[in-house]
Amino acid sequence: MQKKWLIGGGLAAVLVVGAGVAFVSGAIPARGGAGPDGNAEKAPPPLTFTAREVVRPQSAPMPGRVAFSGPLVAPGTATLRARAAGTLTTLAVAEGDRVRAGQAVGRIDLADVSSRVAEREANVAAARATLAQAQRTHAQNERLAGQQFISGAALDGSRAALETARAQLDAAQASAAATRVALRDATLLAPIDGIVAKRQVLPGEKVTPDQPVLTIVDLRRLELAGSVGTHEVARLSAGMPVQVQVEGVDSPVSGRIARIAPAAEPGTRAIGVTIELPNADERLRAGQYAAATAVLPDDRDRLSVPATAVSQSAGQDQVWLIDGGKLARRAVRLGRLDEATGRVEVLDGVTVDSVVVAARFDGLSEGRLASVSAEQAAAVASTSASAPARLQ
């Protein structure tokens, strides 16, 4: 029995060793090699792009753009203030009402001023009577001095009294005039043409000198107060036309650069730029948010491709070309970006004859067979571009 077990074990060992030798020598096919029929693994199928998925670089000027935003403000804004202390008796306008310059819009009760006006007028009358008496006295003294009935000192005294009476009359008249001005301040007059934006006081409230009563806004001219970086301000100048897109308004509004701040703001390194917007129809309102774009003309042609055609690999910008019926990866160096048209300048890496894949696709590989479908290109010639289909 022991001999039979040894013989059986030896035969099993021989079979295992034989199987290993057969595998190494190719009797059993390895994974990824030739199949049972002896054919090699199939290559990936060729890619077919539509005319919408490829593009040739364009050579044309690329105008630069400087954009900035901010709220609209009304430089023609005036605050009507009380010029005397008293009780506001009437205020005939409300928010949204239109007023004209010089229009009476309210009145302050100045009863104490009225009493002071009467007092000052009485003082003027008294001073005028005193002056008349001094004039008569001095005239009589001049006659007496001519007849040598009085001394020269007496004549000088009457002359001094006359001058004093004149000065007292002038002072009384000035005081009365000042009081009458204060009485005129009881009537509140609109300082400018415009629309009442806010009422700070209600009838019946007491006001003090220089207290705000109304805010009036002239909407016929508005300004956009924005800011740009120090690296962009040199490209702008006063008088340059801009397009302004105002929130809530469908079409852009034309404006111009009115002024540029002479220095950057500390901390932000931004420089203020003010845009002037005509608003004769008062369609726009102060406080609306707006975005302005200044278009800078370009003096030369630039080779550009859609920004969607550019991708990155290991920090290097690249595009995919169809070159000789195969996909080819090309490293490119980029220049100016035009966000309005979605195109980017390519300084080197492609030519006007290059066929560039216009969108980013997953699964592209160097050397893969690729072509543009003539049938599909003809079918889409009269249709607008749409998003490219994903590769299979």
Side-chain angles (χ1 to χ4, degrees):
M1 290 294 295
Q2 187 175 3
K3 288 183 179 181
K4 291 182 179 180
W5 180 87
L6 291 175
I7 294 173
L11 290 175
V14 171
L15 291 176
V16 171
V17 173
V21 172
F23 179 84
V24 173
S25 62
I28 299 178
R31 183 179 181 183
D37 55 359
N39 294 331
E41 185 179 355
K42 293 183 179 180
L47 298 176
T48 302
F49 294 91
T50 69
R52 290 172 294 182
E53 296 168 343
V54 296
V55 68
R56 291 187 184 274
Q58 296 180 1
S59 181
M62 294 182 63
R65 287 174 171 81
V66 177
F68 46 94
S69 58
L72 296 181
V73 297
T77 300
T79 300
L80 175 62
R81 299 176 181 272
R83 302 183 63 181
T87 301
L88 182 66
T89 56
T90 60
L91 192 59
V93 294
E95 287 87 348
D97 289 347
R98 190 177 299 276
V99 297
R100 306 291 296 178
Q103 175 183 339
V105 295
R107 186 170 182 81
I108 300 175
D109 182 14
L110 301 178
D112 56 338
V113 176
S114 299
S115 63
R116 287 201 302 270
V117 169
E119 179 184 354
R120 301 296 190 273
E121 293 291 349
N123 291 340
V124 170
R128 189 174 285 114
T130 301
L131 175 60
Q133 180 61 36
Q135 288 173 335
R136 289 192 296 269
T137 301
H138 181 65
Q140 182 179 3
N141 287 341
E142 284 182 329
R143 290 193 299 270
L144 294 176
Q147 299 173 3
Q148 297 183 349
F149 287 135
I150 60 173
S151 64
L155 182 61
D156 291 341
S158 67
R159 184 179 294 110
L162 176 62
E163 295 299 330
T164 300
R166 285 199 181 101
Q168 289 176 343
L169 176 60
D170 291 341
Q173 289 175 333
S175 178
T179 309
R180 285 193 294 271
V181 169
L183 186 61
R184 289 198 300 269
D185 291 342
T187 302
L188 300 176
L189 304 178
I192 61 172
D193 295 345
I195 299 174
V196 177
K198 186 177 182 180
R199 297 198 311 177
Q200 285 89 351
V201 183
L202 296 176
E205 295 185 28
K206 290 187 176 296
V207 296
T208 58
D210 289 332
Q211 180 177 347
V213 177
L214 291 176
T215 300
I216 302 173
V217 178
D218 183 1
L219 294 177
R220 293 173 295 181
R221 184 173 64 90
L222 297 177
E223 291 181 347
L224 165 61
S227 60
V228 300
T230 54
H231 64 288
E232 295 179 316
V233 70
R235 306 163 69 186
L236 304 177
S237 60
M240 179 179 294
V242 296
Q243 292 295 311
V244 181
Q245 186 64 58
V246 183
E247 63 176 351
V249 180
D250 295 334
S251 57
V253 181
S254 297
R256 68 176 186 89
I257 298 179
R259 55 190 178 274
I260 301 175
E265 299 177 3
T268 63
R269 302 299 300 163
I271 296 180
V273 178
T274 302
I275 306 300
E276 186 178 67
L277 293 174
N279 189 36
D281 57 357
E282 298 182 352
R283 180 170 56 124
L284 306 178
R285 291 289 186 268
Q288 285 181 290
Y289 196 79
T293 302
V295 180
L296 311 176
D298 195 5
D299 56 357
R300 64 185 180 89
D301 290 342
R302 302 173 187 269
L303 197 65
S304 65
V305 298
T308 55
V310 180
S311 58
Q312 278 196 341
S313 177
Q316 172 66 56
D317 294 316
Q318 65 178 18
V319 295
W320 286 96
L321 309 180
I322 300 178
D323 187 10
K326 296 181 179 180
L327 284 177
R329 189 199 316 263
R330 290 288 187 272
V332 293
R333 188 163 58 92
L334 304 180
R336 179 176 296 185
L337 172 64
D338 188 352
E339 295 183 357
T341 60
R343 300 189 67 85
V344 60
E345 179 187 9
V346 181
L347 301 177
D348 54 43
V350 298
T351 66
V352 291
D353 296 324
S354 300
V355 179
V356 181
V357 178
R360 300 185 183 98
F361 290 101
D362 297 330
L364 299 182
S365 59
E366 185 86 19
R368 187 171 178 179
L369 296 178
S371 62
V372 180
S373 171
E375 294 78 5
Q376 292 181 355
V380 301
S382 61
T383 61
S384 59
S386 61
R390 296 184 61 84
L391 294 179
Q392 301 298 325

